[in-house]
Amino acid sequence: MREKNIVVLISGRGSNMEAIVRACRQEAWPARVAAVISNRPEAAGLAFARAQGIEAQGLDHRAHTSREAFDAALIQAIDTHAPDLVVLAGFMRILTPAFCAHYAGRLLNIHPSLLPAFPGLHTHERALQAGCRLAGASVHFVTAELDHGPIVAQAMVPVLDGDSADQLAARVLALEHQMYPRAVRWFVEDKLQIDGHRVRQLDGASQLWS
Ligand code: GAR
């Protein structure tokens, strides 16, 4: 199998990116993380990537006059690396339809809720406010509609009495670090098939974490 190029986009800490980089190397995937790009040049995750010998680039969205202009520059930066897959890992930008169309079928995101519940920001606060007993995260293919698109995998955790948003976020994040590398590996090994709104794992592996 030809080695696939992965480009990871981050905005901050980059702990999901880190989990993917480590799994890719430790498990010898038929893939390499070719580059990590952040819309915030000060993002902590860029330092980790550089320390791993991965090309890391800050591309400041504030230096662009419009969302379209930034996304066009981002496409150019990403495509330098001939990506088979673009992974959004805590990338906190709304993407233009042109960007989503350009990477259709090869753009993954992780969102910290059980989609379609709570698209957008402050998911854990909103889950607590709604009195949810279950919270979690979803990995999905990206479409032009924010935090929608075919779901590859979901992780669920209980909401405990007295949880703060930070406590809930930490419980969810621990499962994100297991689920996202697995989902990315499925993609690079051609184990995912999009069937309408449903994504099938061709080996029949469980697409649910708990
Ligand atoms: C993760 O919890 C991820 O699910 C979330 O941001 C965090 C990034 O953490 N993503 C979103 O909210 C996207 N809308 P990380 O930088 O340590 O991976």
Side-chain angles (χ1 to χ4, degrees):
M1 185 180 281
R2 182 183 66 79
E3 189 178 68
K4 291 193 172 71
N5 290 323
I6 303 171
V7 173
V8 184
L9 306 188
I10 63 170
S11 293
R13 181 177 54 186
S15 68
N16 277 290
M17 174 272 295
E18 205 174 313
I20 289 165
V21 166
R22 289 188 197 285
C24 180
R25 289 189 172 165
Q26 282 165 12
E27 299 170 9
W29 297 356
R32 60 191 274 268
V33 176
V36 175
I37 301 173
S38 172
N39 65 304
R40 294 194 173 275
E42 69 281 9
L46 290 178
F48 168 83
R50 282 190 194 106
Q52 298 293 311
I54 296 169
E55 205 171 309
Q57 184 185 355
L59 187 68
D60 197 336
H61 64 275
R62 291 161 293 198
H64 295 79
T65 49
S66 67
R67 200 171 281 287
E68 286 70 23
F70 173 69
D71 277 11
L74 188 56
I75 287 177
Q76 210 168 35
I78 294 169
D79 283 355
T80 309
H81 304 283
D84 298 284
L85 173 64
V86 177
V87 171
L88 308 179
F91 188 64
M92 305 305 281
R93 294 277 308 167
I94 292 175
L95 296 163
T96 55
F99 184 97
C100 297
H102 186 78
Y103 297 109
R106 53 184 176 129
L107 181 58
L108 288 175
N109 181 43
I110 191 160
H111 181 74
S113 79
L114 292 171
L115 291 173
F118 310 126
L121 297 174
H122 309 301
T123 54
H124 303 300
E125 287 87 342
R126 287 155 68 202
L128 289 173
Q129 269 164 21
C132 294
R133 282 290 170 194
L134 206 55
S138 308
V139 175
H140 65 98
F141 282 100
V142 175
T143 59
E145 200 178 345
L146 179 69
D147 298 328
H148 278 68
I151 291 170
V152 175
Q154 290 190 303
M156 56 183 178
V157 302
V159 178
L160 304 180
D161 288 337
D163 262 351
S164 66
D166 284 350
Q167 285 169 323
L168 184 55
R171 194 175 306 124
V172 171
L173 190 67
L175 286 190
E176 291 185 43
H177 292 163
Q178 296 177 26
M179 171 173 67
Y180 210 6
R182 198 57 48 227
V184 172
R185 183 176 175 172
W186 288 338
F187 183 94
V188 301
E189 293 183 341
D190 297 326
K191 302 284 186 184
L192 296 177
Q193 188 179 70
I194 304 177
D195 192 2
H197 286 296
R198 235 180 149 70
V199 180
R200 292 199 321 121
Q201 205 288 348
L202 295 174
D203 291 335
S206 173
Q207 291 164 261
L208 192 59
W209 266 259
S210 59

